[in-house]
Each structure stands twice: as C-alpha cells, then as structure tokens.
Amino acid sequence: PDARVLILDNHTMFGGEARQNEFEVNGHTLWAPQGSTGAVWPLSVAKKIGMYSPIWDQLKLPQRFEWQQPTNSDLKIPEDNYTPMHLAWEKTDLGWFHEGHGMAVNPWANRFKDVPFDTKTKNDFLWMETYRQPPEREDWDRWLDSMTYKDFLINEMGLDNPIIHDYLNPFGAAMGMGLGGDVISAMQASNFLQPGVTEYGRVLGLGDPTNDVILAQWPGGNTGTLRHIVKELIPGIFGDSPGLGGVLSNPIDRDLIDNKHQKVRMRLSSLVVNVKHRGPVESADVVDVTYHNGGEMHKVTAKHVVMGGQQHLNKRVVSDLPQAHLDAMDQFMHAPMMLVNVALTNWKFMDKLGVASVRWFGDDMGWFTTLRKQMIIDGKEPMPLDPAKPTVLTLYNSFCMPGLQIDKQCVAARMKMFSLSYADIESHIKRQFTKMFGSAGFNAERDIAGIVVNRQGHAYAATPPGFFFGKDGKPAVSDVIREQHGRIAFAHAELMGMQMWEGAVHEGERAGHQLAGDK
C-alpha cells in the first residue's frame, strides 16, 4: 500500500486493447470496442466456470445489469457481440447470406431450407449441435491438449467436412483462439466453448455454459472496466464522476496521469527498450529500466519490475534473462485480429429483412456482425436501439490460413492484415453491405456515417497442442515464465492461453504477490 509505482505505457492513451472508438452521428454519441470486449456474465456462471475476477467486487461494479429493449422493432436482439456468432444462435434473429441466394433467416429453425448446402452438410450442422457424448476420460483436459480441434472434429465427431471447418474457423478465432482448428489445441477450443469439446462441461458438472453465459459489454468494450481500475489507482482522473456513466465518458485530467505527488503515476508514450538487474541477478538490489519518450532515452531505477507485455517483447527487452525463460518465450505465437467499427445513420434495412445478426459466406474479409442491446447505465440508455436511429456494427476479422504451420500462419496472417489499405477495407465493406442489405433499401453513401479500422497485430496467443500441459516431458511454457527472475516477474493474460480480462487480472495479481514475497 505504501509503494510508489510507475506504470510505463508505450501508447499515447492507456488501456492497450481495452480502448474504444467514438462517433458522433446525427446528435448521438456512439461507442464501440477497439479490441478487448466484455466480462463473462452472469457472475454466478463466471465463478462456476473459472472466468471471474474478485477485482470486480473490489471496484464495486454492479452485480446485476439490465439491458435496453428495442423500440419500433420486434427483432430478437442479443446482449453482446460474441454469443450470436454461434454459441447462442437461438437468442437472435439470425441471417445467413450466400451471394446469389439472398438472406436465409433463422436457418437453424427450418433445417436450413434456404441455405445452398447439400443434404449431408445440413445434417452435419445438425449433428455438430446434437453431439453429447464425448469420450469419458479422467485426463480429458490433457487428452484434448494432445490434439488439434480439427483432429477432434474428424476423429471423434466424424465431421470431416470442409464446409464445417470453414464455418468454425473464424468463429473460434474471433472468440479467442486467434486461428482455426487446424492448428489450435482442442483444449483451447474447449475453453472457448466450441461445438463438441464444450460437452466436457457436462463431465465437470457445469452443464452446457452456452445455455447461460453471455458477455457483459460496456458501450466501448472493456475500456469500462479498465477506467474503473485507473480511477482507483489515480483518484480524480475522471473529475467529479459519480455513477458509472461519468467514469465511462468524462474526459481525462491529464495533469494527474503523471503527477509526482501521487503514489501511482502513469507515463504514456514511453516505450521500454531495456530492463536489466544492476549487477548479478541473485544479489542485485535494483533493476534499471530504460525507455524512449519525447525523442530521448530515459532511465529509472526500480526495486521490483512487473513486465506486463507479451513474450515476443519481453524476450527482446529483458536483457539478462536465463536460457529457460528465453526458450519458453520463443514458444509463444500470436495471431492478429482486425476490428472494424461501422457507424450507421440507421438500421431500417436490417429490421426490414428481419435480421439482428448476419453471417455471410465466401468472403475473404469479414464474416459476421450483429446489433446488440446496451446495458442500462445510471438508469439511462447510452445509445439508441431504434431502426431509424444511429448504431455501430462491429466486425471481428481473423485471418485464418489453413494449411500453413502455426508459426508461419501467424506471420502470414499478420502481414495480410497490415497489407490492406484503409481504402481497400472501406470499399470492401461498402460492397459487402450493399450485397446483403441493398434489397432492403441500404445505401452505403447515405447510411454509413463512419468506419474505424483497429488492427491488433498480436491480438491472441495462438496455442498449439501441448501449450497447456507441456509435451515431451517438458513443463508448460507458461509455468516456466511464471517463475520469478530476480526482481522481475512476468504477467500477461496470454500465460493462461486465454486473453480475457479476467486472466490479465489473475496473472497481474500473481506477479504482484510474487514480488511482495506473498507466494
């Protein structure tokens, strides 16, 4: 409690992926996530499946939420961006779009009668959802971590159907796997509730979490939770901010971010380039931290250091690492994700088609988007939910490249994402939306108010078989990195394999306790 803490952040604004895009459209302020998106909800389910952080209670965040209801529309609209991708297709009015075939509305409800799939593929989709008896094994988790998700689909479920794999790949990637089932551990697929492997929840007595779980999303994603953490660290940073709404939307008092009179200071635009113990690691009293800020190099001396970055950075920045840490860090791979937020002046065309969520096929950029209800904040709706009023649609774009090895696929996917120009992305979205919604009156020039592209080059840890439990008799790479290195500890959600905010908090608290001697 009495420690003086300096947080060095290489961005011009704190939050990493937990930041938001903001639009002003026809008198309405709209928010959408740049990356990190929501908290597992309800809390009772989050605790049951191990995706809960006590910091939620410490921050005095709500134990219950209410969500707005649409006005002037009878559409069934979900509460979040993720569950209608597949987890809970029954909780939304879902459209499947194949070019040349129009919009198939709620295909699961009518045996895909308007979907241009052959009978076997339609039956495979139904089987994918009715599979209930995976092999019962005490070592089920280690067993799943010995194979890819595609191996499980083919060998255990009999789903050797390219259409099924192409359907699941972007869904699993966007949920948190980063890449598709051809390279990702089946255990990771289970963590993200993918069809078939999620049935091990029944073995554990958890039932089927997809029946109950959603994500509680602040208007701008996890920036809402992050801002409450920052408020605790730096009181007054959001001014006089009673209630949730003030913390979410008040401007930042920049005079307080790096104020020498505070115990916790945050220095932005500060890229750390070297971290090293002063003298032998085992006897050093301090750690020297060198960083770049304002065109110059600076150095600070710390009693302890928590490295909160990903391992591809840590291995280049901490210059006195032991070989075991370096070898483990080399095993971490990262897949990109491109979040595109499309601000609309209205969504009357979706209401006319009878769809709140849309999955489209055959496109090499983009595959899904959805309307979502907003949480009621301080008794108010933060954004409208009326077909005649503005909204934001978020598109989660992965870059799965089946056939490439996981390390090569990560790099190729990242290069593909960064090779796209903004003009390419904008024109592509306009064309795709026109194909899907043009028959219902959509006009891109009139109805699109703005597009923001967020490219996260290392969005998700890509976890091949063996990531969680190790292989060839070696420990899991995360367990190696969790070992304290002198006065330095490492903390990042990727150590859990699941880059969720709950995991970020868990690893951060663990590292803090390590350095405080509270092992």
Side-chain angles (χ1 to χ4, degrees):
D2 296 325
R4 295 174 61 220
V5 178
L6 174 64
I7 300 170
L8 294 171
D9 192 321
N10 63 301
H11 292 92
T12 56
M13 178 49 61
F14 56 78
E17 288 195 34
R19 292 183 290 179
Q20 63 192 21
N21 295 150
E22 301 178 24
F23 301 87
E24 295 289 338
V25 182
N26 296 343
H28 295 277
T29 300
L30 309 175
W31 292 274
Q34 287 190 25
S36 179
T37 307
V40 176
W41 202 264
L43 293 179
S44 58
V45 176
K47 293 174 182 178
K48 195 175 180 181
I49 65 176
M51 292 305 299
Y52 164 78
S53 173
I55 201 174
W56 187 273
D57 296 330
Q58 296 166 19
L59 295 171
K60 298 181 175 58
L61 293 172
Q63 302 296 304
R64 294 181 179 83
F65 281 116
E66 293 183 8
W67 277 263
Q68 68 184 155
Q69 296 300 319
T71 55
N72 301 313
S73 175
D74 295 324
L75 282 183
K76 186 187 297 183
I77 298 175
E79 290 90 352
D80 67 18
N81 284 325
Y82 280 95
T83 54
M85 290 178 181
H86 179 84
L87 295 185
W89 41 259
E90 71 277 10
K91 295 180 182 178
T92 185
D93 280 321
L94 174 65
W96 278 12
F97 179 80
H98 286 80
E99 189 172 355
H101 294 272
M103 190 75 70
V105 180
N106 290 326
W108 295 92
N110 54 34
R111 298 193 180 195
F112 314 103
K113 72 179 182 67
D114 297 320
V115 176
F117 289 157
D118 59 69
T119 300
K120 179 184 181 303
T121 296
K122 293 179 180 180
N123 287 335
D124 282 347
F125 271 94
L126 294 173
W127 168 240
M128 180 176 72
E129 285 296 87
T130 55
Y131 179 83
R132 289 291 184 271
Q133 294 178 300
E136 295 186 19
R137 307 173 53 116
E138 289 187 4
D139 65 343
W140 66 273
D141 47 0
R142 291 178 178 271
W143 178 66
L144 288 179
D145 196 36
S146 72
M147 69 185 81
T148 67
Y149 180 41
K150 185 176 181 179
D151 290 336
F152 185 93
L153 289 168
I154 293 174
N155 299 328
E156 302 302 328
M157 297 176 66
L159 289 173
D160 192 4
N161 187 328
I163 295 176
I164 295 289
H165 301 313
D166 289 345
Y167 171 85
L168 290 174
N169 280 346
F171 162 54
M175 285 291 295
M177 290 162 48
L179 294 173
D182 60 311
V183 291
I184 298 298
S185 165
M187 182 60 207
Q188 182 72 309
S190 176
N191 289 331
F192 286 102
L193 308 179
Q194 299 298 289
V197 287
T198 194
E199 294 308 312
Y200 281 101
R202 298 177 184 275
V203 176
L204 296 173
L206 300 177
D208 184 351
T210 65
N211 290 335
D212 306 303
V213 71
I214 63 169
L215 287 183
Q217 292 185 226
W218 303 104
N222 278 342
T223 185
T225 305
L226 185 279
R227 276 176 161 244
H228 280 87
I229 293 173
V230 173
K231 178 189 174 188
E232 291 297 305
L233 295 175
I234 307 176
I237 191 169
F238 302 114
D240 183 13
S241 53
L244 298 174
V247 177
L248 296 185
S249 59
N250 279 8
I252 295 164
D253 186 343
R254 292 183 176 271
D255 291 335
L256 294 180
I257 291 180
D258 191 5
N259 189 302
K260 65 181 181 180
H261 299 296
Q262 296 174 163
K263 289 182 179 178
V264 178
R265 301 168 68 176
M266 191 180 303
R267 196 156 296 161
L268 302 177
S269 301
S270 299
L271 177 66
V272 175
V273 297
N274 191 49
V275 178
K276 186 178 182 179
H277 291 86
R278 185 179 297 175
V281 172
E282 59 276 8
S283 60
D285 293 325
V286 295
V287 179
D288 288 326
V289 179
T290 304
Y291 66 96
H292 181 269
N293 178 291
E296 298 181 352
M297 290 295 182
H298 304 264
K299 183 183 287 186
V300 292
T301 301
K303 184 178 180 182
H304 297 102
V305 174
V306 174
M307 297 297 297
Q310 294 173 313
Q311 306 318 313
H312 66 97
L313 294 174
N314 290 338
K315 68 184 182 184
R316 294 174 167 87
V317 170
V318 183
S319 57
D320 58 5
L321 282 171
Q323 193 62 45
H325 275 67
L326 283 169
D327 291 343
M329 289 175 178
D330 279 341
Q331 300 305 307
F332 277 80
M333 292 164 284
H334 301 85
M337 189 66 56
M338 184 171 75
L339 272 76
V340 181
N341 289 313
V342 183
L344 300 170
T345 60
N346 71 91
W347 47 277
K348 291 185 285 187
F349 46 90
M350 295 180 73
D351 190 57
K352 185 175 180 179
L353 288 169
V355 294
S357 310
V358 182
R359 168 81 190 241
W360 58 97
F361 298 79
D363 189 16
D364 63 353
M365 190 182 76
W367 62 283
F368 178 85
T369 193
T370 186
L371 298 167
R372 66 178 171 104
K373 298 175 182 176
Q374 298 293 326
M375 300 183 301
I376 303 296
I377 297 176
D378 298 336
K380 300 177 182 177
E381 297 184 5
M383 293 188 274
L385 192 58
D386 183 314
K389 294 181 180 179
T391 194
V392 179
L393 297 180
T394 301
L395 287 69
Y396 296 81
N397 300 280
S398 61
F399 295 86
C400 302
M401 298 182 180
L404 290 179
Q405 295 177 358
I406 188 169
D407 53 345
K408 292 180 174 59
Q409 193 170 156
C410 285
V411 175
R414 189 155 45 248
M415 294 304 101
K416 181 176 180 180
M417 180 181 73
F418 284 122
S419 72
L420 297 169
S421 71
Y422 179 85
D424 291 337
I425 297 167
E426 179 187 35
S427 61
H428 197 112
I429 289 169
K430 287 182 176 181
R431 286 196 305 271
Q432 186 63 37
F433 276 36
T434 299
K435 291 175 186 176
M436 296 190 298
F437 305 130
S439 65
F442 171 81
N443 180 291
E445 298 303 321
R446 179 193 63 209
D447 297 332
I448 295 180
I451 298 174
V452 175
V453 179
N454 306 280
R455 304 187 220 215
Q456 310 288 357
H458 296 73
Y460 293 127
T463 54
F467 178 90
F468 294 97
F469 294 96
K471 57 184 178 181
D472 302 328
K474 297 179 181 179
V477 291
S478 293
D479 289 340
V480 175
I481 294 168
R482 289 187 181 106
E483 290 294 320
Q484 185 174 330
H485 168 52
R487 293 180 171 273
I488 302 171
F490 301 92
H492 196 283
E494 71 180 9
L495 294 178
M496 299 189 74
M498 299 175 287
Q499 291 192 207
M500 307 281 285
W501 85 270
E502 296 91 343
V505 171
H506 173 81
E507 294 293 340
E509 289 181 336
R510 185 263 312 151
H513 284 299
Q514 271 185 315
L515 295 177
D518 302 331
K519 294 183 181 178

